[in-house]
Amino acid sequence: QKEVEQDPGPLSVPEGAIVSLNCTYSNSAFQYFMWYRQYSRKGPELLMYTYSSGNKEDGRFTAQVDKSSKYISLFIRDSQPSDSATYLCAPLMDSSYKLIFGSGTRLLVRP
Amino acid sequence: DVKVTQSSRYLVKRTGEKVFLECVQDMDHENMFWYRQDPGLGLRLIYFSYDVKMKEKGDIPEGYSVSREKKERFSLILESASTNQTSMYLCASSLLTEAFFGQGTRLTVV
């Protein structure tokens, strides 16, 4: 079983839509849950992260973790064409453990 | 600004060659990683290092080795390049919850 699973998409939505991106993971020892955004021909960049369960909001973005079901979500409100990118989830145990990524979901926001 | 620099943006090598991919970071980070990225497969971890001279296998270490003699430098070595190692290679360094990536090396093995 893969440690983290993510639907690869692509996901195509109209501008202004609410987007929901999701991952599941198998290792209950993960404590940090990151979301990275990768534009075409660039390396991934950290978008936001949460520690343990709960929600975290940053502008139009909300990250949500449900440790009981091992489910990670990223919501994007009022999506913009500039949000078109690949979004990768990355659960982490601690600083000396490997950093692994989901396969990424490609998002296209149509003007 | 954190900077992670990979030695080459594009590289073409012949089957059987020994290939070195170099990565340097300037933020004194303990952790460094090498990934390859292929369409539909996402970022797959090859090796990582959480201290100088320390290395740990990732999920796909076969055919690769690494070297970390200095904290700022992490090298990926393809002992005998094969065509199935044609890929985008990404190096990263991290401070716990944030990893910073290099621009990537597009390696083609012919």
Side-chain angles (χ1 to χ4, degrees), chain B residues 2-70:
Chain B
V2 175
K3 215 167 182 185
V4 178
T5 304
Q6 294 182 227
S7 51
S8 305
R9 193 72 196 261
Y10 300 95
L11 215 49
V12 179
K13 295 292 181 180
R14 294 197 179 279
T15 303
E17 274 193 81
K18 191 168 187 174
V19 181
F20 293 85
L21 302 182
E22 307 284 348
C23 177
V24 177
Q25 52 101 356
D26 66 359
M27 280 302 289
D28 202 37
H29 287 167
E30 303 288 342
N31 301 335
M32 295 190 75
F33 307 85
W34 273 106
Y35 299 89
R36 63 178 283 178
Q37 188 169 33
D38 301 287
L41 297 176
L43 274 169
R44 291 183 291 167
L45 180 64
I46 305 171
Y47 267 96
F48 69 105
S49 167
Y50 55 88
D51 202 352
V52 177
K53 296 193 188 289
M54 303 296 288
K55 61 186 179 186
E56 295 280 347
K57 291 180 180 178
D59 298 323
I60 51 163
E62 297 78 19
Y64 304 94
S65 62
V66 289
S67 171
R68 194 163 180 205
E69 295 296 318
K70 293 185 177 181

